[in-house]
């Protein structure tokens, strides 16, 4: 059986180092990722599928409780264990779905019990969750973390190792590759049309030929005019097939996609 991958989050470096050290000593743990604040934790979670999160409560920016509430909204939320010096927040912690509540200083038997609870916690397989309509993506801007619903995204643009999510309310840069989103969201109605673009098929309003090129027209940012994105030559046939047969092809606020201009 493969060991657990866990994320330890604490804004105090000595406490984070100690927690990571103790977790690494546990035979059931294969890898320990670390983060010093909620934003860093969300980035780690965007890059890795973790089996559990060990989380401090008092942190700058989003507190541990607030971060746990964000994680609880994930389509596939990781189990959370609070590690804290506060002995009066347990009711609140379990209210946001925590599987355990450990008080500092940590004891080995406490940590072992928490790791066992994470091991026993059943999570849906990734291929059972990618089609859920309620998946949300945490985005950070100006120190504020917001949640963007996947079904509100019109298209996604590759920006190096990042991706820019385009929605009716604007665009959001997140630390995840376009290839990762393509793999995760293919069964949720998204299609790769170009090396730089992933489109939400229900947001497609048409295709347009431009000489030897093909453009896909996508509803975007509440604008009256659709945005046009290039379709790579090898993706044209597959895109046309999916627009006809894809089960997610109910156009929001419009009829079937057309191939005219």
């Amino acid at each position: 059986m493969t060991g657990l991958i866990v994320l330890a989050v604490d804004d105090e470096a000595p406490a984070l180092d100690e927690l990571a050290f103790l977790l690494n000593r546990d035979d059931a743990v294969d890898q320990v990722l670390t983060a010093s604040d909620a934003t860093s934790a969300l980035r780690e979670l965007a890059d890795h599928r973790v089996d559990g999160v060990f989380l401090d409560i008092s942190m700058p920016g989003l507190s541990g409780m607030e971060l746990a509430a964000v994680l609880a909204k994930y389509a596939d939320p990781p189990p959370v264990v609070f590690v804290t010096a506060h002995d009066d927040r347990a009711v609140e912690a379990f209210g946001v779905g925590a599987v355990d509540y450990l008080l500092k200083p940590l004891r080995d038997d406490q940590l072992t019990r928490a790791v066992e609870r994470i091991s026993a916690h059943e999570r849906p397989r990734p291929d059972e969750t990618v089609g859920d309509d309620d998946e949300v993506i945490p985005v950070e801007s100006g120190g504020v973390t917001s949640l963007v619903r996947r079904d509100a995204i019109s298209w996604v643009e590759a920006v190096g190792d990042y991706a820019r999510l385009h929605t009716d309310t604007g665009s959001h840069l997140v630390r995840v590759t376009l290839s990762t989103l393509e793999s995760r969201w293919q069964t949720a109605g998204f299609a790769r049309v170009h090396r730089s673009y992933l489109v939400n098929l229900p947001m497609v309003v048409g295709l347009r030929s431009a000489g030897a090129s093909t453009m896909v027209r996508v509803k975007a940012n509440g604008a009256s005019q659709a945005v046009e994105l290039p379709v790579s030559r090898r993706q044209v046939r597959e895109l046309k097939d999916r627009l006809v047969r894809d089960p997610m092809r109910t156009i929001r606020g419009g009829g079937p996609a057309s191939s005219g201009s």
Side-chain angles (χ1 to χ4, degrees):
M1 179 179 176
T2 305
L4 300 174
I5 299 176
V6 298
L7 172 63
V9 188
D10 198 311
D11 65 306
E12 296 183 358
L16 182 59
D17 290 344
E18 180 187 15
L19 177 57
F21 172 76
L22 293 174
L23 286 168
N24 273 310
R25 288 200 313 184
D26 195 300
D27 292 338
V29 175
D30 187 54
Q31 183 180 4
V32 180
L33 307 172
T34 59
S36 59
D37 55 40
T39 299
S40 299
L42 290 169
R43 288 173 182 157
E44 291 292 341
L45 290 165
D47 290 342
H48 305 90
R49 175 180 166 84
V50 306
D51 298 295
V53 179
F54 288 79
L55 183 58
D56 187 26
I57 289 181
S58 297
M59 297 190 298
L62 280 183
S63 71
M65 287 294 178
E66 290 168 331
L67 176 57
V70 170
L71 300 184
K73 296 181 185 296
Y74 277 31
D76 181 16
V80 170
V81 173
F82 281 103
V83 182
T84 179
H86 299 277
D87 61 2
D88 58 349
R89 307 288 297 275
V91 172
E92 185 180 357
F94 290 115
V96 294
V99 299
D100 211 339
Y101 188 90
L102 310 182
L103 291 176
K104 299 175 181 178
L106 290 174
R107 301 196 314 267
D108 285 339
D109 61 323
Q110 286 181 311
L111 207 57
T112 298
R113 180 190 66 194
V115 170
E116 289 173 349
R117 288 185 173 175
I118 285 177
S119 298
H121 186 83
E122 293 187 3
R123 298 179 66 191
R125 293 168 55 86
D127 58 0
E128 295 173 340
T129 62
V130 291
D132 292 348
D133 288 338
D134 62 349
E135 181 173 335
V136 294
I137 302 90
V139 297
E140 193 271 339
S141 178
V144 177
T145 300
S146 305
L147 300 178
V148 174
R149 288 180 59 90
R150 181 180 60 197
D151 60 9
I153 298 168
S154 298
W155 85 96
V156 186
E157 177 185 3
V159 185
D161 291 333
Y162 289 74
R164 186 173 295 280
L165 313 177
H166 293 268
T167 73
D168 281 345
T169 58
S171 65
H172 311 275
L173 194 65
V174 294
R175 188 181 176 185
V176 62
T177 65
L178 198 66
S179 295
T180 297
L181 293 182
E182 177 189 13
S183 176
R184 283 172 49 186
W185 293 356
Q186 185 176 24
T187 59
F190 282 76
R192 185 77 170 261
V193 299
H194 186 274
R195 65 182 181 182
S196 298
Y197 299 107
L198 185 69
V199 301
N200 188 353
L201 294 179
M203 299 291 189
V204 173
V205 295
L207 298 174
R208 183 176 70 85
S209 296
S213 303
T214 299
M215 309 295 288
V216 61
R217 303 178 67 237
V218 186
K219 285 195 280 186
N221 298 346
S224 57
Q225 297 293 323
V227 169
E228 293 192 344
L229 305 172
V231 181
S232 64
R233 203 169 285 180
R234 65 186 181 87
Q235 298 287 358
V236 172
R237 180 181 295 274
E238 181 180 351
L239 176 60
K240 288 181 177 179
D241 287 345
R242 286 198 65 183
L243 288 174
V244 172
R245 63 179 167 78
D246 198 286
M248 304 292 290
R249 276 302 299 152
T250 301
I251 298 295
R252 297 182 180 91
S258 66
S259 57
S261 58

